[in-house]
Amino acid sequence: MPVNLSNTKPLAWDAASLDADTKAMLDNLQPNILQAHVRESLSLLLLNFGDGADGRRFLKALVPLMKSARKHLDEVRAFNKTKAPGTPYVGVGISRLGYLKLGHETAKFGDNAFKSGLKRRKDTLSDPPVSAWEPQYQGEIHAVVLIGDATPEPVAATRKRVLALLPKTAKVLGEETGAGLRDDQGRGIEHFGYVDGRSQPLFLADQVAQEPGTNWNPFFPLSHVLVADPLAPHPSRHFGSYLVLRKLEQNVRAFREAEDSLADALGLTGADRPRAGAMLVGRFRNGTPLRLHDRPSSAGFPVQNDFSYRDDPGSRCPVGAHIRKANPRDSRDEGLERVLGVMMARRGQTYGSRTDRPWDDAPPQTRPTGGVGLLFMAFNSSLQSQFEFTQQSWADNPDFPAGGTGHDPVIGQGKRDVKVRFPKQWGSSALGAPQHQVPQTVTMKGGEYFFMPSLAYLKSL
Ligand code: HEM
């Protein structure tokens, strides 16, 4: 039976009744797509192949260091039962130019954004000119190798093994080092200090079963992340996913100043002050959704994700908040992101080190202005209708979902000339005076589009 990517039920990946094609799919799919792989410590290598044949041999030689999605899921299950540690994650993505270098045609790939490459999409995405990107992103990136694990040691050892396989004709254009950032309660956060990575599309039955799902159904069909691998021996059983990688630098000091200015403009004092930042992000630093609470709750971990925006025209969570712009949830009956198929699987990691405590209230001048940020990564079945649509039509569009909303305060790019209004009080329809949008505090420093091929393809090289 062909793999049904549109199945309306979550995938019971361990069911005895699983059909042969779906089993083959799981045995040949790279991990980290259907379910996040631990990558608390992450090394990301950007490669250029001087010689196509050498590039092919290298990619094939990587396969023994990799594992399948199924092996990863088995490891997760074992870890949950006995705390047995899993093996490191090695993931490989190939860019359009990479496939050409390896001697392939790219006509069979369905995604036009992938077939253009990120550099040629910079106007669509209002990105800085390529000359302003970091040098490692300016040249021809052919492949990315991701090496991740819970601690640095296995990553370092695996990185060594990967580099030992690299032919002399290949170059490492650059390397990024990701390191998970956690608050004092152990929750994963990003550099502005907010809990991140909580709201995700879930594809697997065991994951969906752990979520309440009363107000927000986290289940999404496989068609959101999987596409047939057009160059694999059996594209009907061998699947891959498009990966977007963007290095997003965060000016933490400027963001903290913007939070303070907004709190002042709205007259928020004392325990109400953190609501200013929550109005920009859509959650408080500890992950509490502003849709549900006017102050950070102590509801514990994992933070709440079972909410919709039904009955909230923006008086609780402003329609311009980052999480509401990037996922409007149920703006229409079935939910806009479901109708349009926009939800992607975010798998980013923070980069850069700092000595302050990102989650606390220390003054803005003690915060970094650069050198830290997010290695934004997400898996898509269509870069155009998922990542690019989110960035261009929602985040960068001051009229989404309605005129006067403004840019996404976290990731919006472009001239922020629209004035915006925020609710004076939580839950009140009375709006404060129009005011300038917060400045842009996230800067794109480079990136690329990749396809994460099936293991069957890599073995066939
Ligand atoms: C959620 C921060 C970049 C799309 C979140 C959350 C935070 C956050 C704190 C809340 C945690 C959660 O609900 O999982 C940031 C920062 C970024 C960044 C600091 C850049 C430095 C992006 C980009 C996109 C994006 C580039 C897409 C174009 C989303 C989506 C959600 C989210 C879809 C989930 C919203 C939901 O389902 O409720 N982000 N983000 N983010 N972000 Fe970002």
Side-chain angles (χ1 to χ4, degrees):
M1 193 195 292
V3 179
N4 179 4
L5 298 183
S6 309
N7 200 336
T8 52
K9 288 207 183 101
L11 180 66
W13 61 274
D14 51 347
S17 57
L18 210 61
D19 61 87
D21 280 350
T22 306
K23 277 186 190 154
M25 181 272 280
L26 287 169
D27 287 335
N28 284 283
L29 185 70
Q30 295 195 37
N32 200 30
I33 300 171
L34 296 182
Q35 178 164 334
H37 194 288
V38 59
R39 54 198 186 290
E40 197 68 6
S41 176
L42 176 74
S43 165
L44 185 157
L45 300 166
L46 299 166
L47 304 180
N48 172 282
F49 300 128
D51 178 87
D54 278 355
R56 292 170 85 108
R57 275 190 289 275
F58 166 72
L59 292 173
K60 186 172 184 160
L62 278 184
V63 177
L65 301 183
M66 300 173 73
K67 63 188 158 193
S68 67
R70 185 208 295 277
K71 169 120 194 291
H72 172 226
L73 296 174
D74 282 336
E75 284 184 1
V76 173
R77 186 152 291 178
F79 178 80
N80 289 341
K81 271 193 195 143
T82 64
K83 296 278 172 257
T87 54
Y89 163 55
V90 177
V92 174
I94 304 172
S95 70
R96 173 189 79 100
L97 291 174
Y99 277 110
L100 293 177
K101 189 74 193 182
L102 298 173
H104 292 295
E105 294 289 333
T106 53
K108 285 187 181 167
F109 288 92
D111 192 86
N112 285 330
F114 171 73
K115 285 193 280 191
S116 298
L118 189 62
K119 293 184 182 81
R120 292 205 224 150
R121 305 296 284 182
K122 69 170 183 27
D123 294 337
T124 307
L125 297 164
S126 302
D127 280 340
V130 175
S131 57
W133 295 12
E134 289 184 357
Q136 67 266 34
Y137 293 101
Q138 290 188 22
E140 266 195 27
I141 302 172
H142 291 152
V144 63
V145 178
L146 302 170
I147 306 160
D149 210 328
T151 54
E153 294 75 21
V155 173
T158 309
R159 176 184 171 278
K160 231 173 157 180
R161 293 177 70 189
V162 169
L163 290 176
L165 294 171
L166 204 65
K168 286 204 171 55
T169 50
K171 266 198 303 250
V172 179
L173 298 172
E175 177 167 9
E176 303 289 358
T177 303
L181 203 59
R182 294 193 173 261
D183 68 9
D184 53 350
Q185 305 292 310
R187 292 175 287 230
I189 57 173
E190 49 68 48
H191 278 284
F192 292 147
Y194 290 76
V195 165
D196 198 6
R198 169 65 175 107
S199 176
Q200 294 284 3
L202 304 182
F203 308 104
L204 306 175
D206 46 4
Q207 287 208 299
V208 173
Q210 288 169 28
E211 292 286 333
T214 310
N215 299 298
W216 165 247
N217 179 3
F219 162 69
F220 283 79
L222 299 174
S223 56
H224 276 249
V225 279
L226 297 192
V227 291
D229 180 346
L231 302 175
H234 299 288
S236 60
R237 307 167 139 204
H238 302 149
F239 289 80
S241 187
Y242 293 104
L243 171 76
V244 45
L245 161 69
R246 286 162 76 79
K247 184 172 188 180
L248 301 175
E249 187 177 66
Q250 294 175 250
N251 183 339
V252 182
R253 185 179 304 176
F255 189 82
R256 285 302 176 95
E257 283 166 355
E259 288 178 328
D260 279 353
S261 309
L262 181 60
D264 291 344
L266 297 173
L268 297 175
T269 55
D272 284 326
R273 263 183 99 73
R275 203 153 66 242
M279 283 199 263
L280 303 175
V281 174
R283 292 183 184 267
F284 290 89
R285 279 184 211 148
N286 76 354
T288 305
L290 188 58
R291 169 66 186 88
L292 302 180
H293 304 271
D294 63 344
R295 293 198 178 159
S297 86
S298 53
F301 198 72
V303 299
Q304 287 171 289
N305 196 40
D306 187 19
F307 60 91
S308 80
Y309 298 112
R310 216 161 281 156
D311 304 323
D312 178 15
S315 52
R316 292 186 169 89
C317 179
V319 289
H322 172 57
I323 66 165
R324 196 160 176 179
K325 279 277 244 192
N327 179 8
R329 299 195 175 203
D330 48 5
S331 313
R332 286 190 201 151
D333 282 349
E334 297 93 338
L336 196 51
E337 71 302 312
R338 272 174 225 275
V339 175
L340 300 173
V342 179
M343 271 299 257
M344 57 196 146
R346 292 175 297 128
R347 303 284 188 254
Q349 184 53 285
T350 44
Y351 72 88
S353 57
R354 49 198 282 195
T355 47
D356 58 332
R357 295 152 44 101
W359 60 91
D360 73 10
D361 287 325
Q365 59 271 26
T366 63
R367 306 298 182 177
T369 55
V372 300
L374 180 67
L375 299 168
F376 177 79
M377 284 179 267
F379 289 110
N380 302 245
S381 55
S382 162
L383 290 162
Q384 254 184 313
S385 51
Q386 294 175 279
F387 162 67
E388 286 198 347
F389 185 86
T390 307
Q391 184 72 51
Q392 184 191 22
S393 304
W394 288 350
D396 297 348
N397 176 3
D399 295 329
F400 177 77
T405 299
H407 290 72
D408 182 316
V410 178
I411 57 164
Q413 304 194 125
K415 202 156 182 255
R416 298 187 176 198
D417 42 12
V418 169
K419 289 205 170 172
V420 291
R421 302 175 74 184
F422 292 94
K424 275 185 170 165
Q425 282 175 350
W426 189 76
S428 144
S429 54
L431 294 175
Q435 53 182 294
H436 291 294
Q437 296 186 49
V438 296
Q440 188 176 324
T441 53
V442 168
T443 307
M444 192 270 195
K445 306 296 274 185
E448 189 49 284
Y449 289 147
F450 301 93
F451 186 71
M452 306 291 280
S454 61
L455 298 176
Y457 160 80
L458 293 171
K459 283 180 201 158
S460 76
L461 286 172

